[in-house]
Amino acid sequence: MTRRRTLLSTLAISALLGTTAACSGGSTEVEIAAAPATSASTTASTTPSASPSADTPPTPTAAEVIASGRLTAPAATVGEAELGLAQQCSTAADDATVCRSAWTIPSAKASGLLPGRLSWTATASAGRFVLTEAGGRRSLVIDPSGTTQQVRTVRTPLPAAALADAVPVSGPRGYDLVDPTTATRAPVDRPAGVRRWQSVTSDGRGGLWAFAYGDGTPGPMDVWHTADGTPGPMDVWHTADGSTWVRDRIDLPPKDTAFPAYLAAHDDHAAALAGYDGATLLPVAALAVTPDGGRTWATLGADDVPFTFVDSLVAAPDGSLYVLGETDRRGAVTALFRSSDDSWTTFEKVRLPDGATPTSVTALEDGVAVGLDDGYLEVGADGSAGPVRHFPR
């Protein structure tokens, strides 16, 4: 039986530990040594002081979290350096679950405990790693040597020159952009009528694509439906320079619970997925794709794609679109699908080693990393899956 997660959790999946693998076929299993802990000063740089109480479990060290926590897919890579995340959860005396996270860069023999009791996500850009706490209140920048910087927040949007390397992060007041080179975090510029961004993704060259919440009236990113059952529109916003926004309106199937959910973009290509509420994974309503920066759109209905439910949508650096989803309405089979054509309208199932069930997909510098229940593998630019890798416990 496929293990399912709530839609909320799929929109903020935690990226976890990994190391880059060579992209070759087969199902050879490779053991990866655990990263050694660094000195106390390295760990303490991101560890808040705390006074334990009878109701609070003792704070673990980074080494303890890495050794006994949940370690699966790569979090991010910069050249030969891989940053991984580990998470260890325990139950406090009041039955509340408390989770602690740690990061590790094995090549630098560096690690550190992350502040707070929530999960963290990681990505890589401009030769650095960007880590963000669930809920988006805190971010860190870590370079491949293990040096960390606290990200400071500024009130004005980033300059256009910084957008190509900026990392979109979800925060308490919508979406921000983190500039890894200056360790600053700034709000995403908004056109008139948009009070808050629901989702923002980068096309990798300075352009942004977004869903937005409107002001309660029919408008930006509200999905409209009429009483006579005619299709309602989905609005996708995009900008090439971070300030001049274009709004594209895309028709959706006539069902009044459809809503925009996932975005992915690379260069001129973008994909916007709308689905229906009321399920643990997103039931597909329509997938809208553009190969030319939004000038033309093709809309695929649920009968036009090989997946019925979707868990994540990822654009790889090679220009391919990956979809992690389930293949029938009974939710019996989880699989990874790839579209490598210029239109992003045809999909093929990625051939994985026997017994490998994908649980997550993360874009890397070359291809994607596929998380498994007990390890990970990589899919290269040619669509072939590398060996399954397992982590020692």
Side-chain angles (χ1 to χ4, degrees):
M1 179 65 68
T2 301
R3 177 172 58 84
R4 290 190 166 193
R5 292 165 287 186
T6 63
L7 176 60
L8 178 61
S9 68
T10 65
L11 297 179
I13 300 172
S14 296
L16 304 172
L17 178 72
T19 339
T20 301
C23 295
S24 59
S27 57
T28 306
E29 295 184 359
V30 182
E31 292 295 329
I32 304 173
T38 56
S39 64
S41 60
T42 303
T43 301
S45 64
T46 55
T47 305
S49 58
S51 300
S53 66
D55 294 334
T56 304
T59 300
T61 65
E64 290 171 341
V65 173
I66 294 166
S68 60
R70 184 160 52 99
L71 312 172
T72 52
T77 61
V78 172
E80 297 301 317
E82 304 90 29
L83 179 141
L85 296 178
Q87 185 181 75
Q88 179 189 77
C89 296
S90 60
T91 302
D94 59 359
D95 293 331
T97 299
V98 175
C99 296
R100 299 307 303 259
S101 298
W103 60 269
T104 178
I105 304 176
S107 60
K109 296 182 171 59
S111 63
L113 189 67
L114 291 163
R117 297 178 180 178
L118 300 176
S119 61
W120 287 67
T121 58
T123 189
S125 184
R128 298 168 178 84
F129 303 103
V130 177
L131 278 64
T132 301
E133 186 181 23
R137 293 188 178 276
R138 290 182 280 202
S139 295
L140 296 170
V141 171
I142 305 178
D143 70 21
S145 70
T147 302
T148 65
Q149 286 180 278
Q150 298 285 344
V151 173
R152 62 185 181 88
T153 300
V154 297
R155 294 181 178 273
T156 57
L158 296 177
L163 295 183
D165 294 325
V167 176
V169 297
S170 177
R173 292 176 297 278
Y175 267 75
D176 296 330
L177 295 174
V178 173
D179 180 1
T181 60
T182 60
T184 56
R185 176 171 169 165
V188 180
D189 185 57
R190 300 193 307 272
V194 172
R195 62 180 176 84
R196 179 175 175 175
W197 292 118
Q198 174 196 346
S199 179
V200 176
T201 191
S202 171
D203 65 11
R205 61 179 186 182
L208 301 173
W209 295 76
F211 290 148
Y213 293 107
D215 59 3
T217 59
M221 211 42 255
D222 289 342
V223 180
W224 303 352
H225 300 275
T226 59
D228 61 3
T230 56
M234 171 172 65
D235 291 348
V236 179
W237 290 84
H238 53 100
T239 173
D241 60 8
S243 60
T244 305
W245 289 89
V246 176
R247 174 177 158 195
D248 293 336
R249 178 145 293 173
I250 304 159
D251 285 343
L252 292 178
K255 189 171 181 179
D256 60 2
T257 56
F259 61 92
Y262 294 107
L263 272 174
H266 177 75
D267 290 347
D268 279 337
H269 286 69
L273 184 72
Y276 301 123
D277 202 358
T280 52
L281 293 184
L282 183 76
V284 174
L287 176 66
V289 292
T290 176
D292 52 20
R295 289 188 294 274
T296 62
W297 288 85
T299 303
L300 307 177
D303 295 333
D304 301 320
V305 293
F307 36 84
T308 305
F309 297 89
V310 169
D311 197 21
S312 57
L313 194 70
V314 172
D318 62 17
S320 299
L321 177 68
Y322 286 84
V323 180
L324 179 62
E326 294 183 348
T327 57
D328 64 26
R329 296 188 180 278
R330 295 185 301 276
V333 181
T334 300
L336 183 66
F337 300 88
R338 177 177 184 258
S339 180
S340 57
D341 64 23
D342 191 56
S343 64
W344 279 5
T345 58
T346 60
F347 291 85
E348 60 182 0
K349 186 183 292 187
V350 177
R351 185 181 297 276
L352 302 177
D354 292 342
T357 300
T359 60
S360 65
V361 56
T362 306
L364 299 176
E365 288 183 317
D366 181 16
V368 296
V370 181
L372 309 173
D373 283 333
D374 59 349
Y376 83 97
L377 56 81
E378 290 187 18
V379 178
D382 61 356
S384 63
V388 176
R389 292 178 166 245
H390 297 286
F391 294 92
R393 293 294 180 181

